[in-house]
Amino acid sequence: MNEILRQSTLAPSGANLQPWRFLVIDSPDLKQKLLPIAFNQQQVVEASAIIAVLGDLENIRMAEKIYSLAVDAGYMPPDTAKSFVERYTDMYASMPPEIVHQIVYTDCGLVSMQLMLVARAKGYDTVPMGGYDKQKFVKAFGISERYVPIMLIAIGKAVKPGHPTVRLPIDDVAFFNEMHKA
């Protein structure tokens, strides 16, 4: 699990601020607690674990550590790191909360897909779940207001293949050089 999470965190993020946090729920008792919150979706209790992807609304607090690690790795000089910390700290302080939420949701969507692809490459199956009561989840698992729940991802080895789905033809979803009129 740690290796799947580590490789997942290689996903890109705005200013490399990495706003994702993971709550791995693998205790049978806690999965039972989550089951009604997730509208009794059976994968909650059948999966090996449920990974709650959370967005850190105060991720800017990690900027100094992130850029110090970049300096230590030889990726940037100390003065550049210092200016990045100052610039992004000022920028985040002046951003409306809805913009911070938008950035966090985008970045956490990227890490979620990365997690699913890494898991698949390692032979595991995943199910992304947006269908759960986020307010009840936050309360039941003691999640502070600093974190916003993004999605739950069930992970394990599927007993049987998932049901087939269909996708719209590319002509319905991709446009080149101009949008077609609907």
Side-chain angles (χ1 to χ4, degrees), residues 63 67 79-92:
Y67 294 122
D79 57 330
T80 302
K82 183 177 186 284
S83 86
F84 277 20
V85 170
E86 291 169 0
R87 178 184 326 144
Y88 292 123
T89 300
D90 290 345
M91 184 186 302
Y92 266 70

Side-chain angles (χ1 to χ4, degrees), residues 123-144:
Y124 294 96
D125 299 294
T126 58
V127 177
M129 300 170 12
Y132 64 102
D133 187 319
K134 290 182 166 106
Q135 291 172 334
K136 286 183 182 174
F137 173 79
V138 163
K139 186 174 181 186
F141 287 87
I143 309 298
S144 83

